[in-house]
Amino acid sequence: MTGGLIEHFSHIIAVLLMVAGLYVVIARGNLIKKLVGLSIFQTSVYLLYIAPAKLLGGTAPILAPQFNLYSNPLPHVLILTAIVVGVATLALGLAIAVRIKEAYSTIEEDEITALDNAAQVAEEARS
Amino acid sequence: MSVAAHLPALQVILPLLSAPLAVLLRHRGFAFAIVTAATWGAFAVSIGLWMQAGETGIVSYHIGNWAPPWGIEYRVDRLASFVLVLISGTATVVLPYSRASIEREIPSELHYLYYAMFALCLAGLLGIVITGDAFNVFVFLEISSLSTYVLIALGRDRRALAASFRYLIMGTIGATFFVIGIGFLYLMTGTLNLVDMAERLRSVESSRPVLAALAFITVGVSLKLALFPLHQWLPNAYAYAPSAATAFLAATATKVSIYVLIRFWFSVFGESLIFHKLPLPDILLALSLAAMFAASFIAIFQNNLKRLFAYSSVGQIGYITLGMSFDSVTGLQASILHLFNHGIAKAAIFLLIGGMVAFSAAPTFDKLAGLAKRMPFTCFGVVIAGLSLIGVPGTAGFVSKWYLILAAMEKGQFWLVAAILLSSLLAVAYVWRFVEVAYLKPPPEGASKQEAPLGLLLPAWLLVIASIWFGLDTSFTVGTAVEAAQQLVKVGQ
């Protein structure tokens, strides 16, 4: 049991982060906290890709006589791209949160929903 | 080395390069000119690719001359060429419309950014369709999604911001699910090339990571394509985005996600796994029916015309996924056809609604009373495109629903035929609501005739005429859809 835990250590961490991140996104009403959760969720995927690609004692794939154990470089490159995507998403999300704060004077989701619903009721009252 | 050999690369590069140029020029006239040139170029390229794919079946392009499966391959088969024509064609029509439309909806100092985002979104959508590399799909998906969030947030109602943020959260969860699925597939097969992956998957088909990958990819993509009940982000996003952006997204963004789902189900996982070993078709059938009825029903009670047709989109997506669930060439053909025909009709409707927004910020029914007297061409266009949504003979919508019914009868499921016809009645109801208000109610006192300017009417009517044209002359749409469906089913076996 403990052997399995240690063997799959990185996977367990990845899954924990994944579930925790997703939970924060769903359970929190504060837009900034939602973005934090989203970032944790995305970060867990980086681990999911990187961990299996690393061999203990493996090096970067350099053709030289003293190296014969290589780590797979492709997942690292993929995740470099995914990190860029994650940063861009976070930046855009924060920018929109700032605009929401300016427009609604709040960043709590339920307050925004309440304001939106009030606007919709007002629209319907006119018809 | 002729240009013809490099069409697949040009397809993505033209709009991709025009986006930073538009930002650097910082002038809305130049930005408009350069993005329009790139978009029209992309449309010409997509027609060229459609013809090439018609001759050879599959066009394969190796980026940087690295042979697949090591390098990234751009792969255009019949289905991809068809969707490319839909996307770039819609963009070609919507962009000239944008110029007049965003004049009223977006502050003029932001116009160049709108064009840049439009070009990026177009590049992303085209890239998703054309690439033959799994991770590349994710990257293009995020390029198109991020620019979509910005386009929606440009809407002038503050609810556009909230809608954009909600879509950002949902969309990112969807895309991350998708990339988790790709990760599992890569771990199991050691390749990212979709064709290579499909071959290697055969031996590990039923292993748990592959099933997990299938689940993550299906749920992730379903979020992006607004499959009922994962459609929560869509109505507000469509309702409050700038009109031109709504029209473009309604015709392309969800359609491209459907393309991704078809690609992964039929070309990568293969129909034997999807349809014979797992209960996926039944689940998809149930969700499609739920979308067709529930979303269309909700649409009837909407007070905002844009929201009404946004819910209608969720319902129409149900027809497309219904065709996929049949596991037959006819069903898939109906899906592909409806993807195209619905895209055109819905883009036409949202473009026409954009003309109405001249009167008021939100096209609510109380403001539309007697509109047919004031904007006769706009209203008539909405009615014609609405008939295509219902599926009246003589419109494009009829052709795709006809094949959908044929596919249901082929399976011997006559109750589904009844369900398709019944749900079309719901479409009659929501289109009728517009007709009633616009044609039968008297216009308010002192309202003068105020037709939308030609710059808005012409592009919209081009699409309205297209949705009749493809209802009468089906050689292009049906011909390509049949070949695409046959190609997909053959590969999947």
PDB file of all heavy atoms in Angstrom, chain B residues 251-286:
ATOM      1  N   ALA B 251     -21.856  30.939 -36.215  1.00  0.00           N
ATOM      2  CA  ALA B 251     -21.714  30.114 -37.406  1.00  0.00           C
ATOM      3  C   ALA B 251     -20.499  29.211 -37.353  1.00  0.00           C
ATOM      4  O   ALA B 251     -20.455  28.197 -38.045  1.00  0.00           O
ATOM      5  CB  ALA B 251     -21.633  31.004 -38.646  1.00  0.00           C
ATOM      6  N   THR B 252     -19.489  29.560 -36.528  1.00  0.00           N
ATOM      7  CA  THR B 252     -18.233  28.825 -36.654  1.00  0.00           C
ATOM      8  C   THR B 252     -17.736  28.171 -35.364  1.00  0.00           C
ATOM      9  O   THR B 252     -17.341  27.008 -35.389  1.00  0.00           O
ATOM     10  CB  THR B 252     -17.125  29.770 -37.147  1.00  0.00           C
ATOM     11  OG1 THR B 252     -17.055  30.869 -36.252  1.00  0.00           O
ATOM     12  CG2 THR B 252     -17.429  30.270 -38.539  1.00  0.00           C
ATOM     13  N   ALA B 253     -17.770  28.894 -34.219  1.00  0.00           N
ATOM     14  CA  ALA B 253     -17.046  28.402 -33.043  1.00  0.00           C
ATOM     15  C   ALA B 253     -17.582  27.055 -32.558  1.00  0.00           C
ATOM     16  O   ALA B 253     -16.819  26.099 -32.379  1.00  0.00           O
ATOM     17  CB  ALA B 253     -17.114  29.437 -31.921  1.00  0.00           C
ATOM     18  N   THR B 254     -18.898  26.954 -32.363  1.00  0.00           N
ATOM     19  CA  THR B 254     -19.437  25.686 -31.898  1.00  0.00           C
ATOM     20  C   THR B 254     -19.298  24.618 -32.979  1.00  0.00           C
ATOM     21  O   THR B 254     -19.096  23.446 -32.679  1.00  0.00           O
ATOM     22  CB  THR B 254     -20.917  25.837 -31.518  1.00  0.00           C
ATOM     23  OG1 THR B 254     -21.590  26.531 -32.560  1.00  0.00           O
ATOM     24  CG2 THR B 254     -21.079  26.601 -30.233  1.00  0.00           C
ATOM     25  N   LYS B 255     -19.385  25.030 -34.237  1.00  0.00           N
ATOM     26  CA  LYS B 255     -19.288  24.066 -35.340  1.00  0.00           C
ATOM     27  C   LYS B 255     -17.905  23.420 -35.383  1.00  0.00           C
ATOM     28  O   LYS B 255     -17.778  22.226 -35.645  1.00  0.00           O
ATOM     29  CB  LYS B 255     -19.573  24.750 -36.676  1.00  0.00           C
ATOM     30  CG  LYS B 255     -20.848  25.544 -36.721  1.00  0.00           C
ATOM     31  CD  LYS B 255     -22.067  24.659 -36.548  1.00  0.00           C
ATOM     32  CE  LYS B 255     -23.349  25.447 -36.590  1.00  0.00           C
ATOM     33  NZ  LYS B 255     -23.531  26.334 -35.417  1.00  0.00           N
ATOM     34  N   VAL B 256     -16.895  24.247 -35.111  1.00  0.00           N
ATOM     35  CA  VAL B 256     -15.538  23.709 -35.131  1.00  0.00           C
ATOM     36  C   VAL B 256     -15.353  22.695 -34.007  1.00  0.00           C
ATOM     37  O   VAL B 256     -14.695  21.661 -34.172  1.00  0.00           O
ATOM     38  CB  VAL B 256     -14.516  24.856 -35.037  1.00  0.00           C
ATOM     39  CG1 VAL B 256     -13.145  24.335 -34.690  1.00  0.00           C
ATOM     40  CG2 VAL B 256     -14.476  25.614 -36.333  1.00  0.00           C
ATOM     41  N   SER B 257     -15.985  22.958 -32.849  1.00  0.00           N
ATOM     42  CA  SER B 257     -15.885  21.995 -31.751  1.00  0.00           C
ATOM     43  C   SER B 257     -16.582  20.688 -32.124  1.00  0.00           C
ATOM     44  O   SER B 257     -16.113  19.602 -31.761  1.00  0.00           O
ATOM     45  CB  SER B 257     -16.503  22.570 -30.489  1.00  0.00           C
ATOM     46  OG  SER B 257     -15.845  23.757 -30.142  1.00  0.00           O
ATOM     47  N   ILE B 258     -17.691  20.804 -32.845  1.00  0.00           N
ATOM     48  CA  ILE B 258     -18.353  19.581 -33.312  1.00  0.00           C
ATOM     49  C   ILE B 258     -17.422  18.824 -34.254  1.00  0.00           C
ATOM     50  O   ILE B 258     -17.321  17.600 -34.197  1.00  0.00           O
ATOM     51  CB  ILE B 258     -19.680  19.926 -34.022  1.00  0.00           C
ATOM     52  CG1 ILE B 258     -20.671  20.465 -33.007  1.00  0.00           C
ATOM     53  CG2 ILE B 258     -20.251  18.710 -34.727  1.00  0.00           C
ATOM     54  CD1 ILE B 258     -21.899  21.067 -33.627  1.00  0.00           C
ATOM     55  N   TYR B 259     -16.721  19.594 -35.089  1.00  0.00           N
ATOM     56  CA  TYR B 259     -15.741  18.968 -35.982  1.00  0.00           C
ATOM     57  C   TYR B 259     -14.697  18.195 -35.178  1.00  0.00           C
ATOM     58  O   TYR B 259     -14.351  17.061 -35.520  1.00  0.00           O
ATOM     59  CB  TYR B 259     -15.066  20.032 -36.851  1.00  0.00           C
ATOM     60  CG  TYR B 259     -13.841  19.539 -37.574  1.00  0.00           C
ATOM     61  CD1 TYR B 259     -13.953  18.935 -38.815  1.00  0.00           C
ATOM     62  CD2 TYR B 259     -12.578  19.655 -37.005  1.00  0.00           C
ATOM     63  CE1 TYR B 259     -12.839  18.458 -39.469  1.00  0.00           C
ATOM     64  CE2 TYR B 259     -11.458  19.180 -37.641  1.00  0.00           C
ATOM     65  CZ  TYR B 259     -11.585  18.586 -38.877  1.00  0.00           C
ATOM     66  OH  TYR B 259     -10.485  18.104 -39.498  1.00  0.00           O
ATOM     67  N   VAL B 260     -14.209  18.801 -34.089  1.00  0.00           N
ATOM     68  CA  VAL B 260     -13.186  18.129 -33.269  1.00  0.00           C
ATOM     69  C   VAL B 260     -13.754  16.826 -32.699  1.00  0.00           C
ATOM     70  O   VAL B 260     -13.079  15.788 -32.698  1.00  0.00           O
ATOM     71  CB  VAL B 260     -12.700  19.054 -32.125  1.00  0.00           C
ATOM     72  CG1 VAL B 260     -11.761  18.312 -31.190  1.00  0.00           C
ATOM     73  CG2 VAL B 260     -12.011  20.271 -32.691  1.00  0.00           C
ATOM     74  N   LEU B 261     -15.004  16.881 -32.237  1.00  0.00           N
ATOM     75  CA  LEU B 261     -15.616  15.675 -31.672  1.00  0.00           C
ATOM     76  C   LEU B 261     -15.739  14.581 -32.746  1.00  0.00           C
ATOM     77  O   LEU B 261     -15.393  13.423 -32.507  1.00  0.00           O
ATOM     78  CB  LEU B 261     -16.992  16.015 -31.090  1.00  0.00           C
ATOM     79  CG  LEU B 261     -17.606  14.933 -30.213  1.00  0.00           C
ATOM     80  CD1 LEU B 261     -16.733  14.683 -29.000  1.00  0.00           C
ATOM     81  CD2 LEU B 261     -19.011  15.315 -29.771  1.00  0.00           C
ATOM     82  N   ILE B 262     -16.209  14.964 -33.929  1.00  0.00           N
ATOM     83  CA  ILE B 262     -16.329  13.993 -35.026  1.00  0.00           C
ATOM     84  C   ILE B 262     -14.957  13.410 -35.345  1.00  0.00           C
ATOM     85  O   ILE B 262     -14.782  12.207 -35.505  1.00  0.00           O
ATOM     86  CB  ILE B 262     -16.926  14.655 -36.290  1.00  0.00           C
ATOM     87  CG1 ILE B 262     -18.377  15.071 -36.046  1.00  0.00           C
ATOM     88  CG2 ILE B 262     -16.850  13.715 -37.473  1.00  0.00           C
ATOM     89  CD1 ILE B 262     -19.027  15.744 -37.236  1.00  0.00           C
ATOM     90  N   ARG B 263     -13.953  14.304 -35.401  1.00  0.00           N
ATOM     91  CA  ARG B 263     -12.592  13.868 -35.746  1.00  0.00           C
ATOM     92  C   ARG B 263     -12.097  12.836 -34.737  1.00  0.00           C
ATOM     93  O   ARG B 263     -11.578  11.786 -35.108  1.00  0.00           O
ATOM     94  CB  ARG B 263     -11.691  15.110 -35.775  1.00  0.00           C
ATOM     95  CG  ARG B 263     -10.242  14.890 -36.018  1.00  0.00           C
ATOM     96  CD  ARG B 263      -9.929  14.267 -37.348  1.00  0.00           C
ATOM     97  NE  ARG B 263     -10.133  15.125 -38.501  1.00  0.00           N
ATOM     98  CZ  ARG B 263     -10.678  14.695 -39.650  1.00  0.00           C
ATOM     99  NH1 ARG B 263     -11.076  13.465 -39.793  1.00  0.00           N
ATOM    100  NH2 ARG B 263     -10.828  15.507 -40.666  1.00  0.00           N
ATOM    101  N   PHE B 264     -12.277  13.128 -33.440  1.00  0.00           N
ATOM    102  CA  PHE B 264     -11.741  12.207 -32.440  1.00  0.00           C
ATOM    103  C   PHE B 264     -12.563  10.928 -32.367  1.00  0.00           C
ATOM    104  O   PHE B 264     -12.012   9.842 -32.214  1.00  0.00           O
ATOM    105  CB  PHE B 264     -11.638  12.890 -31.068  1.00  0.00           C
ATOM    106  CG  PHE B 264     -10.323  13.590 -30.888  1.00  0.00           C
ATOM    107  CD1 PHE B 264     -10.154  14.887 -31.312  1.00  0.00           C
ATOM    108  CD2 PHE B 264      -9.241  12.910 -30.351  1.00  0.00           C
ATOM    109  CE1 PHE B 264      -8.932  15.520 -31.187  1.00  0.00           C
ATOM    110  CE2 PHE B 264      -8.012  13.532 -30.223  1.00  0.00           C
ATOM    111  CZ  PHE B 264      -7.860  14.849 -30.643  1.00  0.00           C
ATOM    112  N   TRP B 265     -13.856  11.040 -32.465  1.00  0.00           N
ATOM    113  CA  TRP B 265     -14.680   9.833 -32.376  1.00  0.00           C
ATOM    114  C   TRP B 265     -14.467   8.913 -33.562  1.00  0.00           C
ATOM    115  O   TRP B 265     -14.261   7.719 -33.395  1.00  0.00           O
ATOM    116  CB  TRP B 265     -16.164  10.228 -32.287  1.00  0.00           C
ATOM    117  CG  TRP B 265     -16.591  10.530 -30.892  1.00  0.00           C
ATOM    118  CD1 TRP B 265     -15.781  10.924 -29.865  1.00  0.00           C
ATOM    119  CD2 TRP B 265     -17.909  10.457 -30.358  1.00  0.00           C
ATOM    120  NE1 TRP B 265     -16.531  11.109 -28.734  1.00  0.00           N
ATOM    121  CE2 TRP B 265     -17.827  10.833 -29.004  1.00  0.00           C
ATOM    122  CE3 TRP B 265     -19.147  10.125 -30.894  1.00  0.00           C
ATOM    123  CZ2 TRP B 265     -18.940  10.870 -28.174  1.00  0.00           C
ATOM    124  CZ3 TRP B 265     -20.251  10.174 -30.066  1.00  0.00           C
ATOM    125  CH2 TRP B 265     -20.157  10.534 -28.728  1.00  0.00           C
ATOM    126  N   PHE B 266     -14.518   9.471 -34.758  1.00  0.00           N
ATOM    127  CA  PHE B 266     -14.514   8.611 -35.935  1.00  0.00           C
ATOM    128  C   PHE B 266     -13.111   8.316 -36.432  1.00  0.00           C
ATOM    129  O   PHE B 266     -12.823   7.208 -36.860  1.00  0.00           O
ATOM    130  CB  PHE B 266     -15.356   9.226 -37.055  1.00  0.00           C
ATOM    131  CG  PHE B 266     -16.828   9.153 -36.778  1.00  0.00           C
ATOM    132  CD1 PHE B 266     -17.467  10.155 -36.084  1.00  0.00           C
ATOM    133  CD2 PHE B 266     -17.564   8.058 -37.201  1.00  0.00           C
ATOM    134  CE1 PHE B 266     -18.823  10.076 -35.812  1.00  0.00           C
ATOM    135  CE2 PHE B 266     -18.912   7.971 -36.934  1.00  0.00           C
ATOM    136  CZ  PHE B 266     -19.557   8.974 -36.244  1.00  0.00           C
ATOM    137  N   SER B 267     -12.211   9.335 -36.399  1.00  0.00           N
ATOM    138  CA  SER B 267     -10.893   9.119 -37.000  1.00  0.00           C
ATOM    139  C   SER B 267      -9.879   8.597 -36.004  1.00  0.00           C
ATOM    140  O   SER B 267      -8.934   7.921 -36.395  1.00  0.00           O
ATOM    141  CB  SER B 267     -10.355  10.415 -37.605  1.00  0.00           C
ATOM    142  OG  SER B 267     -11.254  10.951 -38.506  1.00  0.00           O
ATOM    143  N   VAL B 268     -10.006   8.942 -34.715  1.00  0.00           N
ATOM    144  CA  VAL B 268      -8.968   8.534 -33.769  1.00  0.00           C
ATOM    145  C   VAL B 268      -9.408   7.308 -32.962  1.00  0.00           C
ATOM    146  O   VAL B 268      -8.785   6.255 -33.036  1.00  0.00           O
ATOM    147  CB  VAL B 268      -8.598   9.693 -32.818  1.00  0.00           C
ATOM    148  CG1 VAL B 268      -7.575   9.228 -31.797  1.00  0.00           C
ATOM    149  CG2 VAL B 268      -8.039  10.858 -33.618  1.00  0.00           C
ATOM    150  N   PHE B 269     -10.495   7.433 -32.210  1.00  0.00           N
ATOM    151  CA  PHE B 269     -10.906   6.294 -31.397  1.00  0.00           C
ATOM    152  C   PHE B 269     -11.527   5.194 -32.251  1.00  0.00           C
ATOM    153  O   PHE B 269     -11.422   4.022 -31.929  1.00  0.00           O
ATOM    154  CB  PHE B 269     -11.880   6.736 -30.304  1.00  0.00           C
ATOM    155  CG  PHE B 269     -11.230   7.538 -29.226  1.00  0.00           C
ATOM    156  CD1 PHE B 269     -11.370   8.911 -29.184  1.00  0.00           C
ATOM    157  CD2 PHE B 269     -10.448   6.927 -28.275  1.00  0.00           C
ATOM    158  CE1 PHE B 269     -10.754   9.657 -28.194  1.00  0.00           C
ATOM    159  CE2 PHE B 269      -9.833   7.670 -27.279  1.00  0.00           C
ATOM    160  CZ  PHE B 269      -9.994   9.033 -27.244  1.00  0.00           C
ATOM    161  N   GLY B 270     -12.194   5.583 -33.314  1.00  0.00           N
ATOM    162  CA  GLY B 270     -12.760   4.582 -34.209  1.00  0.00           C
ATOM    163  C   GLY B 270     -14.156   4.194 -33.791  1.00  0.00           C
ATOM    164  O   GLY B 270     -14.480   4.147 -32.608  1.00  0.00           O
ATOM    165  N   GLU B 271     -15.001   3.928 -34.789  1.00  0.00           N
ATOM    166  CA  GLU B 271     -16.402   3.718 -34.451  1.00  0.00           C
ATOM    167  C   GLU B 271     -16.647   2.396 -33.730  1.00  0.00           C
ATOM    168  O   GLU B 271     -17.636   2.265 -33.022  1.00  0.00           O
ATOM    169  CB  GLU B 271     -17.282   3.831 -35.688  1.00  0.00           C
ATOM    170  CG  GLU B 271     -17.004   2.806 -36.730  1.00  0.00           C
ATOM    171  CD  GLU B 271     -18.128   2.763 -37.758  1.00  0.00           C
ATOM    172  OE1 GLU B 271     -19.171   3.390 -37.530  1.00  0.00           O
ATOM    173  OE2 GLU B 271     -17.944   2.089 -38.770  1.00  0.00           O
ATOM    174  N   SER B 272     -15.742   1.428 -33.875  1.00  0.00           N
ATOM    175  CA  SER B 272     -15.999   0.158 -33.191  1.00  0.00           C
ATOM    176  C   SER B 272     -15.949   0.349 -31.679  1.00  0.00           C
ATOM    177  O   SER B 272     -16.747  -0.217 -30.942  1.00  0.00           O
ATOM    178  CB  SER B 272     -14.991  -0.901 -33.629  1.00  0.00           C
ATOM    179  OG  SER B 272     -13.705  -0.561 -33.188  1.00  0.00           O
ATOM    180  N   LEU B 273     -15.008   1.191 -31.202  1.00  0.00           N
ATOM    181  CA  LEU B 273     -14.929   1.458 -29.761  1.00  0.00           C
ATOM    182  C   LEU B 273     -16.112   2.314 -29.310  1.00  0.00           C
ATOM    183  O   LEU B 273     -16.785   1.999 -28.330  1.00  0.00           O
ATOM    184  CB  LEU B 273     -13.609   2.175 -29.442  1.00  0.00           C
ATOM    185  CG  LEU B 273     -13.461   2.650 -27.987  1.00  0.00           C
ATOM    186  CD1 LEU B 273     -13.335   1.471 -27.056  1.00  0.00           C
ATOM    187  CD2 LEU B 273     -12.274   3.566 -27.832  1.00  0.00           C
ATOM    188  N   ILE B 274     -16.369   3.389 -30.057  1.00  0.00           N
ATOM    189  CA  ILE B 274     -17.387   4.347 -29.639  1.00  0.00           C
ATOM    190  C   ILE B 274     -18.774   3.721 -29.677  1.00  0.00           C
ATOM    191  O   ILE B 274     -19.585   3.887 -28.771  1.00  0.00           O
ATOM    192  CB  ILE B 274     -17.370   5.575 -30.567  1.00  0.00           C
ATOM    193  CG1 ILE B 274     -15.994   6.202 -30.607  1.00  0.00           C
ATOM    194  CG2 ILE B 274     -18.455   6.581 -30.172  1.00  0.00           C
ATOM    195  CD1 ILE B 274     -15.689   7.107 -29.495  1.00  0.00           C
ATOM    196  N   PHE B 275     -19.058   3.018 -30.771  1.00  0.00           N
ATOM    197  CA  PHE B 275     -20.446   2.649 -31.014  1.00  0.00           C
ATOM    198  C   PHE B 275     -20.779   1.209 -30.626  1.00  0.00           C
ATOM    199  O   PHE B 275     -21.935   0.881 -30.440  1.00  0.00           O
ATOM    200  CB  PHE B 275     -20.804   2.884 -32.482  1.00  0.00           C
ATOM    201  CG  PHE B 275     -20.864   4.338 -32.820  1.00  0.00           C
ATOM    202  CD1 PHE B 275     -19.822   4.947 -33.508  1.00  0.00           C
ATOM    203  CD2 PHE B 275     -21.922   5.111 -32.412  1.00  0.00           C
ATOM    204  CE1 PHE B 275     -19.871   6.287 -33.809  1.00  0.00           C
ATOM    205  CE2 PHE B 275     -21.980   6.454 -32.704  1.00  0.00           C
ATOM    206  CZ  PHE B 275     -20.945   7.038 -33.398  1.00  0.00           C
ATOM    207  N   HIS B 276     -19.780   0.351 -30.551  1.00  0.00           N
ATOM    208  CA  HIS B 276     -20.130  -1.039 -30.278  1.00  0.00           C
ATOM    209  C   HIS B 276     -19.734  -1.502 -28.891  1.00  0.00           C
ATOM    210  O   HIS B 276     -20.334  -2.405 -28.338  1.00  0.00           O
ATOM    211  CB  HIS B 276     -19.518  -1.957 -31.354  1.00  0.00           C
ATOM    212  CG  HIS B 276     -19.953  -1.555 -32.735  1.00  0.00           C
ATOM    213  ND1 HIS B 276     -21.260  -1.292 -33.038  1.00  0.00           N
ATOM    214  CD2 HIS B 276     -19.249  -1.346 -33.863  1.00  0.00           C
ATOM    215  CE1 HIS B 276     -21.355  -0.946 -34.317  1.00  0.00           C
ATOM    216  NE2 HIS B 276     -20.147  -0.960 -34.837  1.00  0.00           N
ATOM    217  N   LYS B 277     -18.720  -0.871 -28.284  1.00  0.00           N
ATOM    218  CA  LYS B 277     -18.286  -1.326 -26.963  1.00  0.00           C
ATOM    219  C   LYS B 277     -18.763  -0.432 -25.833  1.00  0.00           C
ATOM    220  O   LYS B 277     -18.741  -0.812 -24.688  1.00  0.00           O
ATOM    221  CB  LYS B 277     -16.756  -1.412 -26.934  1.00  0.00           C
ATOM    222  CG  LYS B 277     -16.227  -2.466 -27.886  1.00  0.00           C
ATOM    223  CD  LYS B 277     -14.735  -2.572 -27.854  1.00  0.00           C
ATOM    224  CE  LYS B 277     -14.268  -3.501 -28.957  1.00  0.00           C
ATOM    225  NZ  LYS B 277     -12.941  -3.173 -29.444  1.00  0.00           N
ATOM    226  N   LEU B 278     -19.147   0.795 -26.148  1.00  0.00           N
ATOM    227  CA  LEU B 278     -19.544   1.742 -25.101  1.00  0.00           C
ATOM    228  C   LEU B 278     -20.955   2.246 -25.369  1.00  0.00           C
ATOM    229  O   LEU B 278     -21.401   2.277 -26.503  1.00  0.00           O
ATOM    230  CB  LEU B 278     -18.577   2.949 -25.095  1.00  0.00           C
ATOM    231  CG  LEU B 278     -17.130   2.645 -24.729  1.00  0.00           C
ATOM    232  CD1 LEU B 278     -16.275   3.872 -24.952  1.00  0.00           C
ATOM    233  CD2 LEU B 278     -17.019   2.192 -23.296  1.00  0.00           C
ATOM    234  N   PRO B 279     -21.669   2.693 -24.316  1.00  0.00           N
ATOM    235  CA  PRO B 279     -23.039   3.180 -24.524  1.00  0.00           C
ATOM    236  C   PRO B 279     -23.082   4.641 -24.976  1.00  0.00           C
ATOM    237  O   PRO B 279     -24.075   5.317 -24.755  1.00  0.00           O
ATOM    238  CB  PRO B 279     -23.672   3.008 -23.143  1.00  0.00           C
ATOM    239  CG  PRO B 279     -22.533   3.181 -22.201  1.00  0.00           C
ATOM    240  CD  PRO B 279     -21.303   2.654 -22.895  1.00  0.00           C
ATOM    241  N   LEU B 280     -21.996   5.130 -25.589  1.00  0.00           N
ATOM    242  CA  LEU B 280     -21.943   6.543 -25.955  1.00  0.00           C
ATOM    243  C   LEU B 280     -23.068   7.000 -26.880  1.00  0.00           C
ATOM    244  O   LEU B 280     -23.624   8.072 -26.689  1.00  0.00           O
ATOM    245  CB  LEU B 280     -20.588   6.870 -26.587  1.00  0.00           C
ATOM    246  CG  LEU B 280     -19.485   7.249 -25.621  1.00  0.00           C
ATOM    247  CD1 LEU B 280     -18.188   7.472 -26.375  1.00  0.00           C
ATOM    248  CD2 LEU B 280     -19.852   8.523 -24.888  1.00  0.00           C
ATOM    249  N   PRO B 281     -23.421   6.193 -27.927  1.00  0.00           N
ATOM    250  CA  PRO B 281     -24.478   6.675 -28.820  1.00  0.00           C
ATOM    251  C   PRO B 281     -25.790   6.918 -28.083  1.00  0.00           C
ATOM    252  O   PRO B 281     -26.484   7.902 -28.384  1.00  0.00           O
ATOM    253  CB  PRO B 281     -24.637   5.565 -29.848  1.00  0.00           C
ATOM    254  CG  PRO B 281     -23.561   4.617 -29.626  1.00  0.00           C
ATOM    255  CD  PRO B 281     -22.863   4.926 -28.372  1.00  0.00           C
ATOM    256  N   ASP B 282     -26.112   6.068 -27.107  1.00  0.00           N
ATOM    257  CA  ASP B 282     -27.370   6.251 -26.377  1.00  0.00           C
ATOM    258  C   ASP B 282     -27.340   7.541 -25.565  1.00  0.00           C
ATOM    259  O   ASP B 282     -28.318   8.281 -25.507  1.00  0.00           O
ATOM    260  CB  ASP B 282     -27.633   5.061 -25.451  1.00  0.00           C
ATOM    261  CG  ASP B 282     -27.758   3.777 -26.250  1.00  0.00           C
ATOM    262  OD1 ASP B 282     -28.215   3.878 -27.409  1.00  0.00           O
ATOM    263  OD2 ASP B 282     -27.385   2.707 -25.750  1.00  0.00           O
ATOM    264  N   ILE B 283     -26.175   7.787 -24.913  1.00  0.00           N
ATOM    265  CA  ILE B 283     -26.057   9.013 -24.129  1.00  0.00           C
ATOM    266  C   ILE B 283     -26.212  10.221 -25.038  1.00  0.00           C
ATOM    267  O   ILE B 283     -26.952  11.158 -24.751  1.00  0.00           O
ATOM    268  CB  ILE B 283     -24.686   9.061 -23.406  1.00  0.00           C
ATOM    269  CG1 ILE B 283     -24.572   7.881 -22.431  1.00  0.00           C
ATOM    270  CG2 ILE B 283     -24.502  10.375 -22.685  1.00  0.00           C
ATOM    271  CD1 ILE B 283     -23.209   7.736 -21.832  1.00  0.00           C
ATOM    272  N   LEU B 284     -25.510  10.173 -26.180  1.00  0.00           N
ATOM    273  CA  LEU B 284     -25.560  11.314 -27.102  1.00  0.00           C
ATOM    274  C   LEU B 284     -26.969  11.501 -27.638  1.00  0.00           C
ATOM    275  O   LEU B 284     -27.444  12.634 -27.785  1.00  0.00           O
ATOM    276  CB  LEU B 284     -24.576  11.086 -28.258  1.00  0.00           C
ATOM    277  CG  LEU B 284     -24.298  12.320 -29.100  1.00  0.00           C
ATOM    278  CD1 LEU B 284     -23.606  13.389 -28.297  1.00  0.00           C
ATOM    279  CD2 LEU B 284     -23.457  11.979 -30.318  1.00  0.00           C
ATOM    280  N   LEU B 285     -27.650  10.393 -27.904  1.00  0.00           N
ATOM    281  CA  LEU B 285     -29.027  10.459 -28.397  1.00  0.00           C
ATOM    282  C   LEU B 285     -29.926  11.164 -27.373  1.00  0.00           C
ATOM    283  O   LEU B 285     -30.681  12.079 -27.722  1.00  0.00           O
ATOM    284  CB  LEU B 285     -29.546   9.050 -28.678  1.00  0.00           C
ATOM    285  CG  LEU B 285     -30.984   8.936 -29.168  1.00  0.00           C
ATOM    286  CD1 LEU B 285     -31.096   9.445 -30.585  1.00  0.00           C
ATOM    287  CD2 LEU B 285     -31.478   7.507 -29.082  1.00  0.00           C
ATOM    288  N   ALA B 286     -29.781  10.749 -26.101  1.00  0.00           N
ATOM    289  CA  ALA B 286     -30.626  11.345 -25.057  1.00  0.00           C
ATOM    290  C   ALA B 286     -30.344  12.838 -24.915  1.00  0.00           C
ATOM    291  O   ALA B 286     -31.262  13.662 -24.854  1.00  0.00           O
ATOM    292  CB  ALA B 286     -30.384  10.631 -23.734  1.00  0.00           C
TER     293      ALA B 286
END
